[in-house]
Amino acid sequence: MTETQRGAAIETMFEEVRRYPPDPGFTANANAQAELYELDFEELWAKESQRVTWFEPWKTLLEWEPPYAKWYLGGKLNVCFNCVDRHVEAGKGGKVAFHWEGEPEDDRREITFADLQADVVRFANALKELGVGKGTPVGIYMGMVPECPVAMLACARLGAPHTVVFGGFSADSLSDRLNDMECEVLITQDEAWRRGTTVPLKRNADEALESSSGVKKCVVLRRTQGEVSMERGRDVFWNEIVEGKSDDPQSCPCEPMDSEDLLYLLYTSGTTAKPKGIAHTTAGYLVGVATTHHYIFDVKPESVYWCAADVGWVTGHSYIVYGPLCNGTTSVMYEGTPDFPDKDRWWDIVERYKVDILYTAPTAIRSHMKWGPEHAERHDLSSLRLLGSVGEPINPEAWIWYRDHIGGGGTPVVDTWWQTETGMILISPLPGLTTTKPGSATKPFPGIDAAVFDEQGNEVGPGGGGYLVLRRPWPAMLRGIYKEHDRYVETYWSKYPGVYFAGDGARIDEDGDFWLLGRVDDVMNVSGHRISTIEVESALVDHQEVAEAAVCGRMDPTTGQAIVAFVTLKGGAEGSPEKLAELRNHVGTKIGAIAKPANIVFTPELPKTRSGKIMRRLLRDVAENRPLGDTTTLADPTVVEEIRDRGTTDQTEE
Ligand code: WTA
């Protein structure tokens, strides 16, 4: 967000006077009671560690040597045991873990915890045969099929760290990640369903593996039965390798892992072209996600919880797979898009499974708003008890619409702030305790020390704005950027020494409630997905006809931000609608469809300072159709006028 945007956002939010105190009926039965805020943070995290089953108890709660924290030192445990086996051992094998709903209608599966255990054990046995063991890095490139969590859990069972690559990423993005983590095995599927058509995951994987020679084995799940080519000696079908494998948990015991052993890497965009491999370890992560899931979503033993994110993002890791399964929760998992075959698909699902907790992103809520409330009205949504939001700032209008049209006007709405790096939710209302305000994520979770700092590092008081920081470690925090110590220090710990800098702007109001205002760095947030401006720029200049490119975000009523690219072609060539489509596709190939610019403005030159720096601030003004700021430092002030003329007649596809 630019300064002006942020200013406007702050104003609308501060005019927001609606308050929703908790319903006393909800409070009486809420998982979170007021004492939770009173515990000292060490007491709290020691107590909550009992949520998890330990093979050997931990000895030291926390070792904090900034910027690295270690939690629950000396403990031994296994994430898969906690998410699967212990529930079966406790006699809950018959409980549904996932109500899975495929995109093609009537394609449904009910997977109990006992089923999940059998599937995980069989698959882990098969992975073992392929050479996967403790410490073997494994890549997972799948859609929203139950086998995706099965693959993650099988890795966790064996102690093999995984990286899940979102199915919307391109072959190039996949191979970059596989190479960075040095993955030896890739698990994928033939194709994924998407809005009635298919995404060729195996074909992308084949292309990726051409430049990821470290991957020796590729497991292919048949999902659509679409045609795939299989490389002899490397590629194997999932159904063939699990055939005849034992599903007896004793045949493949859960590897006792150290609290600080790597559980997974998840790559996220930073301010350079290279994504960061965010490292999450075993014990602190599991305690953090299970605890927040329990209190923030007020999950009950009989709950049917639905997190509508994709497993490929951190929300899916923490709140579809690890948190809910650790808590023994029944979840809904849906493969497809919200509007297939019709715009009421989600509400059909909520009604059919009697979902009581729904967790989604503001972008999705705004799409439903745009489609109109009549789709929800056709269904009985009275089972819903709580609604959650994540991924980007939620505008008060969408918050209210969500509560009124989906929640029937009575459900608490929890706006949860967190990041890939934080692993778990850090700022959120606690339902039953917190008075909510549309647009505010309200209070730090118990034990979390969040604050807003000004440029100089002074804490700003109520009513003030600045940068969001965290002053104390938390269990699920990242343990660094994989193989990039300096970048870890530079990105998060150098703006204010010893304090975690989140990269988000925030305001704090008179009640101490937090209002999150979007990124303050060169990272855009498109439909809740983080995309770096530099990453898109380098994808554009990778095209042989592009001389230079500059990228920025502009506001978009549905996707939050949309990507605008300013492009100069080589040899002074003029742009054309064909070139526009070609460049968009090129970005799709380099990164993935989510990163395709919404607009491309072709321009003979980019506005630069006399020292040659591109003036992005001016481009953002053009992208937003705002009056231009100071242009006096420009080498050639006429350039920006020219772009402005072109920008207003820019060529947009779709
Ligand atoms: C933004 C997603 C406002 C923020 C879990 C953060 C939010 C980035 C919220 C992390 C929220 C996430 N209100 N902004 N409730 N939740 N963000 O890593 O800019 O994909 O830094 O993690 O999303 O995105 P990430």
Side-chain angles (χ1 to χ4, degrees), residues 219-236:
V219 181
V220 184
L221 173 82
R222 285 190 204 268
R223 167 65 187 122
T224 64
Q225 316 302 328
E227 189 124 348
V228 287
S229 75
M230 298 290 280
E231 191 178 296
R232 191 189 276 272
R234 186 194 69 188
D235 301 350
V236 287

Side-chain angles (χ1 to χ4, degrees), residues 453-460 467 495-497:
F453 276 11
D454 67 13
E455 196 64 48
Q456 285 71 42
N458 305 308
E459 182 172 4
V460 304
Y467 303 105
K495 191 166 174 77
Y496 310 113

Side-chain angles (χ1 to χ4, degrees), residues 152 162 164 264 266 285 311-319 321-322:
M152 294 161 78
H162 61 68
V164 178
Y264 68 79
L266 187 60
Y285 176 77
V311 181
W313 308 109
V314 75
T315 307
H317 284 61
S318 298
Y319 298 109
V321 181
Y322 294 119

Side-chain angles (χ1 to χ4, degrees), residues 13 266 268-269 278 313-315 319 359 362 389-394 414-425 427 439-441 468 500 502-505 515-521 523-525 528-530:
M13 285 179 170
L266 187 60
T268 187
S269 290
I278 302 299
W313 308 109
V314 75
T315 307
Y319 298 109
Y359 189 32
S389 169
V390 61
E392 46 179 319
I394 181 164
V414 291
D415 173 8
T416 63
W417 178 90
W418 59 297
Q419 308 176 299
T420 304
E421 292 86 339
T422 69
M424 62 189 240
I425 298 168
I427 305 181
S440 170
L468 180 67
Y500 176 87
D504 275 29
W515 300 75
L516 280 309
L517 306 168
R519 304 288 311 181
V520 294
D521 52 13
V523 176
M524 299 169 289
N525 190 328
H529 304 319
R530 281 162 72 172

Side-chain angles (χ1 to χ4, degrees), residues 141 167 169 171 174 188-194 197-207 224 227-228:
Y141 182 57
F169 277 124
L174 174 60
T188 186
Q189 63 190 67
D190 49 9
E191 299 168 319
W193 283 114
R194 186 169 173 80
T197 62
T198 55
V199 184
L201 293 183
K202 174 63 165 70
R203 206 171 71 207
N204 293 346
D206 287 339
E207 214 183 303
T224 64
E227 189 124 348
V228 287

Side-chain angles (χ1 to χ4, degrees), residues 120-182:
V120 169
V121 170
R122 253 194 309 264
F123 189 60
N125 271 320
L127 284 179
K128 238 174 19 188
E129 205 173 78
L130 296 181
V132 176
K134 188 172 177 179
T136 312
V138 175
I140 300 175
Y141 182 57
M142 302 181 90
M144 289 285 285
V145 289
E147 288 81 0
C148 182
V150 167
M152 294 161 78
L153 293 162
C155 288
R157 187 175 197 91
L158 298 170
H162 61 68
T163 191
V164 178
V165 179
F166 172 58
F169 277 124
S170 67
D172 281 10
S173 294
L174 174 60
S175 78
D176 286 350
R177 288 158 174 76
L178 295 174
N179 292 341
D180 191 70
M181 194 180 181
E182 298 170 61

